[in-house]
């Protein structure tokens, strides 16, 4: 024991000192590039970690090894982030991958909006203070037929703002089939509680009628809330009232109808052979008082929560203190404006990546897959094949709906290991693993990523 203790003492004594590590050339270089204090802290942290983990078996690290570790830490953590990845999953709106990629025009708009000052909250004509919502409200009206619109940070915030403004201390009637979890722990009953409203569930899980809502109306009722089942499907013996029916009920009783349509597709997805989604313009047309949707799902824009509807309610929402807390920033506002203009120009399918992907022709995907698969070097250690596959919309839109697609299928020894390697490779690629094979679905791979994809696959195979 004593002998071992002495050995440890000896080891601890041989651990390089902070000043010795700091005088290493590589560390000195890092100190000219980065903050001296921050580099010193990193070195200290590393040395104290060495001190606390060293045991009989471990070797005392050299100064050079400690420098290696510090450099690696900096390279990994002190770099721009998020890292771009190639989405080969076939899931068009992938929340973990940042949802909708932006159009060229939207990207340019974010750059323009942030490189200098702007008239974000200034009326150039009068020189008076303006509202960041004025322009976007008009665009949203033109697109959806609503009287006014308001944009906040995301749809979750939009809902909390709407409910807090209109239903604080009041009852909100929701169908039992719609008091659901939307994803990432966002549960409608919790949202209501947070907004200070009381949830009144009506109907049953599969069937709810207008009369179920009607029976619960009283002087405590603040709103009727309808939520689109965006990430699940109830099929079979089902019934739910239309928004028109609910709107008639609401109008007759002076109760606002709030409709959360989720992905907020302004284009009818049935045009591309997909199932219908509630469109904001249809919701407004049906008489909804406030319609809520996301900016970065099927709309194909930046993260945002969009609310359209009656002017009186929009005004109430926009003056609530939470509207200030949830307000959208100028870059997202600029990107959203550019995205909405694509719809007004009827060029969404050609300009917005999400719609380019949804509308991509099967033959084109096939041709691209063939062209790329040929370039992948062959070997008897793995097989490469072009296969027909299925893409999905994802991101809480069109549950269970798939689109025929083409992909490159690679059968390798260890698909999980291969996937990990290509995720952490030169250009990270996120494939899908299906039936023990790695699949690269062409539908979600942007056209200008083809070359990088092949380089990544080749690199992964050769290393
Ligand atoms: C996705 C979704 C939300 C949440 O929207 P975020 O923009 O992610 O906050 C709310 N409601 C429905 C129905 C959704 O599909």
């Amino acid at each position: 024991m004593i002998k071992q203790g002495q050995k440890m003492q000896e080891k601890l004594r041989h651990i390089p000192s902070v000043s010795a590590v700091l005088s290493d050339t590589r560390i000195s270089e890092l100190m000219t590039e980065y903050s001296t204090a921050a580099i010193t802290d990193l070195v200290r942290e590393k040395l104290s970690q060495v001190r606390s983990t060293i045991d009989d078996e471990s070797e005392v690290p050299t100064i050079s090894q400690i420098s290696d570790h510090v450099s690696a830490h900096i390279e990994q953590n002190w770099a721009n982030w998020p890292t771009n990845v190639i989405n080969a999953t076939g899931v068009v709106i992938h929340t973990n991958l940042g949802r909708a990629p932006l159009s060229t025009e939207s990207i340019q708009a974010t750059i323009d909006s942030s490189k200098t000052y702007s008239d974000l909250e200034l009326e150039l004509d009068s020189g008076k203070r303006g509202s960041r919502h004025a322009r976007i409200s008009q665009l949203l009206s033109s697109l959806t037929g609503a009287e006014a619109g308001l944009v906040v940070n995301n749809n979750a915030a939009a809902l909390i703002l709407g409910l807090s403004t209109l239903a604080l201390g009041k009852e909100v009637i929701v169908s039992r089939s719609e008091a659901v979890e939307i994803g990432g722990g966002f549960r409608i009953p919790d949202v209501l509680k947070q907004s200070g409203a009381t949830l009144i569930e009506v109907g049953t899980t599969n069937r709810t009628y207008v009369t179920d809502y009607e029976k619960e109306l009283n002087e405590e009722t603040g709103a009727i809330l309808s939520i689109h089942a965006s990430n699940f499907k109830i099929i079979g013996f089902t019934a739910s009232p239309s928004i028109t029916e609910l709107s008639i009920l609401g109008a007759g009783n002076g109760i606002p109808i709030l409709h959360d349509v989720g992905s907020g597709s302004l284009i009818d997805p049935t045009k591309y052979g997909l199932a219908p989604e509630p469109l904001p313009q249809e919701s407004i047309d049906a008489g909804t008082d406030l319609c809520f949707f996301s900016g970065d799902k099927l709309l194909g824009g930046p993260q945002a929560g969009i609310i359209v509807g009656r002017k009186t309610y929009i005004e109430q929402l926009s003056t609530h203190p939470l509207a200030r807390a949830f307000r959208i920033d100028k870059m997202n506002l600029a990107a959203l404006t550019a995205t909405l203009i694509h719809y007004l120009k009827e060029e969404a399918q050609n300009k917005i990546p999400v719609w380019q992907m949804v509308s991509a022709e099967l033959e084109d995907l096939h041709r691209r897959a063939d062209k790329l698969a040929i370039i992948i070097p062959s070997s008897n250690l793995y097989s490469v094949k072009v296969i027909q596959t299925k893409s999905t919309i994802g991101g809480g839109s069109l549950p269970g709906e798939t689109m025929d697609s083409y992909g490159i299928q690679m059968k390798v020894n260890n698909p999980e290991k291969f996937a990990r390697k290509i995720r952490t490779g030169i250009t990270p690629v996120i494939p899908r693993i299906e039936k023990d094979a790695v699949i690269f679905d062409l539908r979600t791979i942007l056209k200008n990523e083809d070359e990088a994809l092949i380089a990544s696959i080749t690199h992964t195979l050769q290393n």
Side-chain angles (χ1 to χ4, degrees):
M1 276 314 275
I2 291 169
K3 225 174 161 190
Q4 272 187 3
Q6 278 176 344
K7 220 166 117 191
M8 273 306 277
Q9 288 295 323
E10 188 76 0
K11 274 194 179 177
L12 287 169
R13 230 173 326 117
H14 280 95
I15 295 174
S17 68
V18 173
S19 56
V21 178
L22 290 181
S23 50
D24 175 77
T25 18
R26 255 182 319 148
I27 297 289
S28 319
E29 273 167 27
L30 287 173
M31 285 200 291
T32 52
E33 194 180 344
Y34 299 95
S35 139
T36 308
I39 297 287
T40 310
D41 283 349
L42 262 188
V43 169
R44 278 214 176 90
E45 235 171 77
K46 179 62 195 162
L47 288 173
S48 99
Q49 194 192 336
V50 168
R51 238 173 267 120
S52 61
T53 54
I54 202 150
D55 59 20
D56 290 342
E57 268 76 61
S58 52
E59 290 282 325
V60 174
T62 61
I63 291 180
S64 165
Q65 283 168 332
I66 291 170
S67 310
D68 284 347
H69 185 92
V70 171
S71 313
H73 177 97
I74 290 171
E75 201 176 307
Q76 218 183 34
N77 296 289
W78 295 4
N80 289 348
W81 186 86
T83 309
N84 289 350
V85 305
I86 295 176
N87 176 9
T89 63
V91 182
V92 177
I93 302 162
H94 201 305
T95 299
N96 298 1
L97 304 184
R99 290 199 184 156
L102 296 179
S103 73
T104 309
E105 288 77 3
S106 289
I107 295 163
Q108 190 58 47
T110 64
I111 297 170
D112 291 344
S113 73
S114 47
K115 71 182 171 201
T116 82
Y117 296 104
S118 67
D119 63 347
L120 183 67
E121 290 190 355
L122 182 81
E123 280 176 8
L124 293 178
D125 194 33
S126 65
K128 292 212 173 88
R129 181 167 183 176
S131 157
R132 70 176 64 206
H133 298 292
R135 295 286 189 108
I136 202 101
S137 172
Q138 287 196 1
L139 287 179
L140 289 167
S141 294
S142 301
L143 284 164
T144 65
E147 288 172 13
L150 177 66
V151 181
V152 292
N153 196 41
N154 56 18
N155 194 20
L159 273 176
I160 291 183
L161 174 62
L163 290 164
S164 303
T165 307
L166 301 178
L168 177 75
K170 293 189 176 166
E171 296 178 355
V172 174
I173 309 176
V174 180
S175 164
R176 200 155 259 126
S177 66
E178 296 176 355
V180 295
E181 175 169 322
I182 285 158
F186 189 72
R187 297 179 156 185
I188 291 302
D190 297 337
V191 171
L192 282 166
K193 205 183 284 171
Q194 270 305 314
S195 314
T198 307
L199 168 65
I200 304 293
E201 281 185 66
V202 295
T204 61
T205 307
N206 59 333
R207 302 202 131 212
T208 305
Y209 305 94
V210 181
T211 48
D212 294 322
Y213 290 88
E214 195 168 10
K215 271 183 261 172
E216 291 296 336
L217 288 177
N218 62 54
E219 55 281 10
E220 300 300 318
T221 309
I224 290 174
L225 173 64
S226 177
I227 303 123
H228 175 54
S230 57
N231 53 5
F232 68 101
K233 222 174 179 171
I234 299 178
I235 51 170
F237 187 61
T238 63
S240 59
S242 67
I243 288 297
T244 309
E245 290 174 279
L246 287 181
S247 298
I248 292 168
L249 177 69
N253 292 275
I255 301 297
I257 304 298
L258 315 184
H259 190 197
D260 174 10
V261 294
S263 86
S265 183
L266 290 171
I267 293 178
D268 183 355
T270 61
K271 268 176 73 175
Y272 302 101
L274 292 164
E277 275 272 296
L279 312 181
Q281 58 271 39
E282 283 179 1
S283 174
I284 292 300
D285 196 41
T288 297
D289 293 288
L290 288 178
C291 173
F292 300 79
F293 52 101
S294 296
D296 53 357
K297 290 183 178 173
L298 279 174
L299 193 77
Q303 181 185 303
I306 301 165
I307 313 163
V308 293
R310 289 197 206 288
K311 203 164 179 215
T312 60
Y313 293 128
I314 293 286
E315 273 169 2
Q316 282 181 52
L317 263 61
S318 61
T319 51
H320 190 282
L322 280 180
R324 170 66 179 77
F326 295 158
R327 83 176 176 194
I328 188 169
D329 77 291
K330 63 186 175 192
M331 287 187 274
N332 280 354
L333 196 52
L336 183 62
T337 302
T339 301
L340 293 180
I341 289 170
H342 289 315
Y343 288 95
L344 287 169
K345 287 184 166 173
E346 294 192 317
E347 60 182 20
Q349 184 190 306
N350 300 324
K351 299 272 190 163
I352 298 177
V354 161
W355 287 102
Q356 285 174 329
M357 290 174 190
V358 171
S359 65
E361 297 282 348
L362 195 57
E363 286 150 54
D364 285 341
L365 299 174
H366 193 174
R367 220 171 302 132
R368 260 173 85 202
D370 277 342
K371 216 171 97 191
L372 295 177
I374 281 175
I375 321 172
I376 300 170
S378 58
S379 152
N380 51 7
L381 296 174
Y382 53 83
S383 71
V384 180
K385 203 169 108 187
V386 168
I387 58 156
Q388 189 153 12
T389 180
K390 301 266 187 204
S391 324
T392 57
I393 294 288
S397 310
L398 295 163
E401 283 291 305
T402 57
M403 288 168 284
D404 287 335
S405 180
Y406 272 91
I408 299 168
Q409 181 202 57
M410 295 196 54
K411 289 205 167 144
V412 291
N413 218 351
N414 184 340
E416 296 290 345
K417 192 171 154 202
F418 181 89
R420 185 179 175 276
K421 228 164 137 188
I422 200 160
R423 281 199 311 270
T424 54
I426 38 169
T427 305
V429 181
I430 320 294
R432 175 166 96 219
I433 294 176
E434 220 172 73
K435 291 184 196 138
D436 264 345
V438 181
I439 294 173
F440 301 94
D441 189 322
L442 265 292
R443 189 177 289 278
T444 52
I445 300 168
L446 304 171
K447 282 207 179 108
N448 61 11
E449 292 174 335
D450 285 356
E451 219 169 285
L453 171 76
I454 292 305
S456 265
I457 294 176
T458 308
H459 188 263
T460 305
L461 291 170
Q462 288 168 350
N463 284 276

